[in-house]
Amino acid sequence: SRAALLEAWKSFQSRRQWLAKEFCEPVYRQFLIEAVARGRIVAPGFFDDPIKQKAWCGADWNGPAQGMLDPTKEVQAAQQRVENGFSTREEETIGLTGGNFKQNARQLRRENEMLQRANAREEVNPDAK
């Protein structure tokens, strides 16, 4: 079943790439052109330099992540790819969950700070709940 899932995913990926390139990117580009022309978005150099316009129009179109048959093995493989420099945490976050690594990191920081404060309160007053 894993082999069938991987083969189907290859087909889905090629269709997703086509949709992003042939539909999403042109629509996004036209949206930006109009928004910059009307002054809704300030994008220095947008109309003066084609390289800057291309940079402003750059976007990643990820879509939902592939399903996992064995999440533990998938996560271990992702860790190994990052450790060996074959991938990045950002790429693996997108691939595994469709999430955003930077948002995850900020949220984890907030959660860890919250836990530290809660633990500090318990150390000061162990009977308080």
Side-chain angles (χ1 to χ4, degrees), residues 93-112:
T93 301
I94 291 167
L96 288 174
T97 65
N100 182 303
F101 174 75
K102 291 175 184 140
Q103 287 177 350
N104 290 353
R106 286 190 294 268
Q107 180 64 29
L108 285 169
R109 184 182 65 229
R110 286 190 296 268
E111 291 174 4
N112 289 333

mmCIF file of all heavy atoms in Angstrom, residues 93-112:
data_model
loop_
_atom_site.group_PDB
_atom_site.id
_atom_site.type_symbol
_atom_site.label_atom_id
_atom_site.label_comp_id
_atom_site.label_asym_id
_atom_site.label_seq_id
_atom_site.Cartn_x
_atom_site.Cartn_y
_atom_site.Cartn_z
ATOM 1 N N THR A 93 8.887 20.498 7.601
ATOM 2 C CA THR A 93 7.623 20.890 8.215
ATOM 3 C C THR A 93 6.523 20.934 7.164
ATOM 4 O O THR A 93 5.419 20.419 7.377
ATOM 5 C CB THR A 93 7.742 22.257 8.909
ATOM 6 O OG1 THR A 93 8.764 22.178 9.901
ATOM 7 C CG2 THR A 93 6.443 22.683 9.558
ATOM 8 N N ILE A 94 6.839 21.520 6.020
ATOM 9 C CA ILE A 94 5.860 21.586 4.931
ATOM 10 C C ILE A 94 5.507 20.177 4.465
ATOM 11 O O ILE A 94 4.332 19.845 4.296
ATOM 12 C CB ILE A 94 6.409 22.425 3.756
ATOM 13 C CG1 ILE A 94 6.511 23.889 4.156
ATOM 14 C CG2 ILE A 94 5.532 22.262 2.519
ATOM 15 C CD1 ILE A 94 7.316 24.740 3.186
ATOM 16 N N GLY A 95 6.534 19.333 4.282
ATOM 17 C CA GLY A 95 6.297 17.988 3.769
ATOM 18 C C GLY A 95 5.535 17.086 4.722
ATOM 19 O O GLY A 95 4.703 16.285 4.300
ATOM 20 N N LEU A 96 5.818 17.203 6.008
ATOM 21 C CA LEU A 96 5.183 16.312 6.979
ATOM 22 C C LEU A 96 3.778 16.753 7.366
ATOM 23 O O LEU A 96 2.875 15.923 7.504
ATOM 24 C CB LEU A 96 6.037 16.203 8.251
ATOM 25 C CG LEU A 96 7.330 15.412 8.125
ATOM 26 C CD1 LEU A 96 8.131 15.519 9.408
ATOM 27 C CD2 LEU A 96 7.046 13.955 7.799
ATOM 28 N N THR A 97 3.594 18.040 7.572
ATOM 29 C CA THR A 97 2.310 18.501 8.107
ATOM 30 C C THR A 97 1.656 19.602 7.282
ATOM 31 O O THR A 97 0.517 19.972 7.561
ATOM 32 C CB THR A 97 2.484 19.036 9.540
ATOM 33 O OG1 THR A 97 3.311 20.214 9.491
ATOM 34 C CG2 THR A 97 3.084 17.996 10.459
ATOM 35 N N GLY A 98 2.396 20.160 6.318
ATOM 36 C CA GLY A 98 1.873 21.304 5.583
ATOM 37 C C GLY A 98 1.954 22.585 6.386
ATOM 38 O O GLY A 98 1.425 23.605 5.992
ATOM 39 N N GLY A 99 2.638 22.520 7.545
ATOM 40 C CA GLY A 99 2.725 23.659 8.449
ATOM 41 C C GLY A 99 3.807 24.647 8.068
ATOM 42 O O GLY A 99 4.444 24.546 7.024
ATOM 43 N N ASN A 100 4.016 25.606 8.964
ATOM 44 C CA ASN A 100 4.983 26.669 8.766
ATOM 45 C C ASN A 100 5.997 26.602 9.898
ATOM 46 O O ASN A 100 5.642 26.828 11.064
ATOM 47 C CB ASN A 100 4.260 28.024 8.747
ATOM 48 C CG ASN A 100 5.175 29.188 8.511
ATOM 49 O OD1 ASN A 100 6.139 29.396 9.247
ATOM 50 N ND2 ASN A 100 4.871 29.959 7.492
ATOM 51 N N PHE A 101 7.256 26.294 9.563
ATOM 52 C CA PHE A 101 8.288 26.109 10.583
ATOM 53 C C PHE A 101 8.462 27.351 11.447
ATOM 54 O O PHE A 101 8.553 27.253 12.672
ATOM 55 C CB PHE A 101 9.618 25.727 9.943
ATOM 56 C CG PHE A 101 10.742 25.665 10.934
ATOM 57 C CD1 PHE A 101 10.847 24.609 11.815
ATOM 58 C CD2 PHE A 101 11.676 26.682 11.013
ATOM 59 C CE1 PHE A 101 11.861 24.547 12.756
ATOM 60 C CE2 PHE A 101 12.698 26.638 11.954
ATOM 61 C CZ PHE A 101 12.788 25.561 12.822
ATOM 62 N N LYS A 102 8.497 28.522 10.837
ATOM 63 C CA LYS A 102 8.722 29.757 11.608
ATOM 64 C C LYS A 102 7.583 30.006 12.585
ATOM 65 O O LYS A 102 7.820 30.390 13.735
ATOM 66 C CB LYS A 102 8.914 30.934 10.657
ATOM 67 C CG LYS A 102 10.207 30.859 9.885
ATOM 68 C CD LYS A 102 10.336 31.949 8.856
ATOM 69 C CE LYS A 102 11.609 31.740 8.074
ATOM 70 N NZ LYS A 102 11.461 32.003 6.661
ATOM 71 N N GLN A 103 6.351 29.795 12.146
ATOM 72 C CA GLN A 103 5.215 29.961 13.060
ATOM 73 C C GLN A 103 5.274 28.925 14.172
ATOM 74 O O GLN A 103 4.991 29.245 15.333
ATOM 75 C CB GLN A 103 3.892 29.820 12.305
ATOM 76 C CG GLN A 103 3.566 31.004 11.431
ATOM 77 C CD GLN A 103 2.279 30.791 10.641
ATOM 78 O OE1 GLN A 103 1.723 29.700 10.600
ATOM 79 N NE2 GLN A 103 1.812 31.856 10.007
ATOM 80 N N ASN A 104 5.638 27.692 13.822
ATOM 81 C CA ASN A 104 5.766 26.644 14.838
ATOM 82 C C ASN A 104 6.809 27.022 15.884
ATOM 83 O O ASN A 104 6.593 26.838 17.082
ATOM 84 C CB ASN A 104 6.136 25.304 14.214
ATOM 85 C CG ASN A 104 5.012 24.689 13.411
ATOM 86 O OD1 ASN A 104 3.892 25.177 13.408
ATOM 87 N ND2 ASN A 104 5.322 23.616 12.716
ATOM 88 N N ALA A 105 7.952 27.537 15.423
ATOM 89 C CA ALA A 105 9.034 27.896 16.349
ATOM 90 C C ALA A 105 8.586 29.004 17.296
ATOM 91 O O ALA A 105 8.847 28.943 18.506
ATOM 92 C CB ALA A 105 10.279 28.314 15.568
ATOM 93 N N ARG A 106 7.886 30.020 16.757
ATOM 94 C CA ARG A 106 7.383 31.100 17.615
ATOM 95 C C ARG A 106 6.368 30.568 18.628
ATOM 96 O O ARG A 106 6.400 30.925 19.803
ATOM 97 C CB ARG A 106 6.768 32.219 16.769
ATOM 98 C CG ARG A 106 7.791 33.072 16.047
ATOM 99 C CD ARG A 106 7.160 34.309 15.420
ATOM 100 N NE ARG A 106 6.236 33.989 14.366
ATOM 101 C CZ ARG A 106 6.549 33.905 13.070
ATOM 102 N NH1 ARG A 106 7.797 34.111 12.676
ATOM 103 N NH2 ARG A 106 5.631 33.621 12.173
ATOM 104 N N GLN A 107 5.477 29.695 18.162
ATOM 105 C CA GLN A 107 4.464 29.136 19.063
ATOM 106 C C GLN A 107 5.115 28.269 20.139
ATOM 107 O O GLN A 107 4.751 28.345 21.313
ATOM 108 C CB GLN A 107 3.435 28.312 18.275
ATOM 109 C CG GLN A 107 2.354 27.703 19.138
ATOM 110 C CD GLN A 107 1.472 28.741 19.814
ATOM 111 O OE1 GLN A 107 1.270 29.838 19.309
ATOM 112 N NE2 GLN A 107 0.936 28.386 20.967
ATOM 113 N N LEU A 108 6.099 27.459 19.761
ATOM 114 C CA LEU A 108 6.805 26.632 20.749
ATOM 115 C C LEU A 108 7.515 27.489 21.784
ATOM 116 O O LEU A 108 7.528 27.150 22.974
ATOM 117 C CB LEU A 108 7.796 25.700 20.051
ATOM 118 C CG LEU A 108 7.173 24.509 19.328
ATOM 119 C CD1 LEU A 108 8.211 23.822 18.443
ATOM 120 C CD2 LEU A 108 6.580 23.530 20.320
ATOM 121 N N ARG A 109 8.118 28.599 21.355
ATOM 122 C CA ARG A 109 8.768 29.504 22.298
ATOM 123 C C ARG A 109 7.759 30.030 23.308
ATOM 124 O O ARG A 109 8.008 30.022 24.515
ATOM 125 C CB ARG A 109 9.458 30.651 21.562
ATOM 126 C CG ARG A 109 10.234 31.567 22.525
ATOM 127 C CD ARG A 109 10.886 32.753 21.837
ATOM 128 N NE ARG A 109 9.856 33.620 21.297
ATOM 129 C CZ ARG A 109 9.848 34.103 20.050
ATOM 130 N NH1 ARG A 109 10.808 33.806 19.215
ATOM 131 N NH2 ARG A 109 8.871 34.875 19.635
ATOM 132 N N ARG A 110 6.585 30.472 22.810
ATOM 133 C CA ARG A 110 5.546 30.978 23.718
ATOM 134 C C ARG A 110 5.089 29.891 24.689
ATOM 135 O O ARG A 110 4.941 30.138 25.887
ATOM 136 C CB ARG A 110 4.351 31.504 22.918
ATOM 137 C CG ARG A 110 4.598 32.830 22.234
ATOM 138 C CD ARG A 110 3.320 33.427 21.661
ATOM 139 N NE ARG A 110 2.723 32.627 20.618
ATOM 140 C CZ ARG A 110 2.965 32.775 19.308
ATOM 141 N NH1 ARG A 110 3.806 33.706 18.887
ATOM 142 N NH2 ARG A 110 2.366 32.006 18.429
ATOM 143 N N GLU A 111 4.897 28.694 24.179
ATOM 144 C CA GLU A 111 4.450 27.597 25.039
ATOM 145 C C GLU A 111 5.509 27.234 26.077
ATOM 146 O O GLU A 111 5.185 26.988 27.244
ATOM 147 C CB GLU A 111 4.090 26.376 24.196
ATOM 148 C CG GLU A 111 2.837 26.576 23.364
ATOM 149 C CD GLU A 111 2.556 25.421 22.426
ATOM 150 O OE1 GLU A 111 3.283 24.403 22.452
ATOM 151 O OE2 GLU A 111 1.583 25.531 21.644
ATOM 152 N N ASN A 112 6.770 27.200 25.662
ATOM 153 C CA ASN A 112 7.850 26.879 26.607
ATOM 154 C C ASN A 112 7.973 27.944 27.694
ATOM 155 O O ASN A 112 8.180 27.621 28.867
ATOM 156 C CB ASN A 112 9.175 26.693 25.874
ATOM 157 C CG ASN A 112 9.205 25.413 25.069
ATOM 158 O OD1 ASN A 112 8.521 24.445 25.392
ATOM 159 N ND2 ASN A 112 9.986 25.405 24.001
#
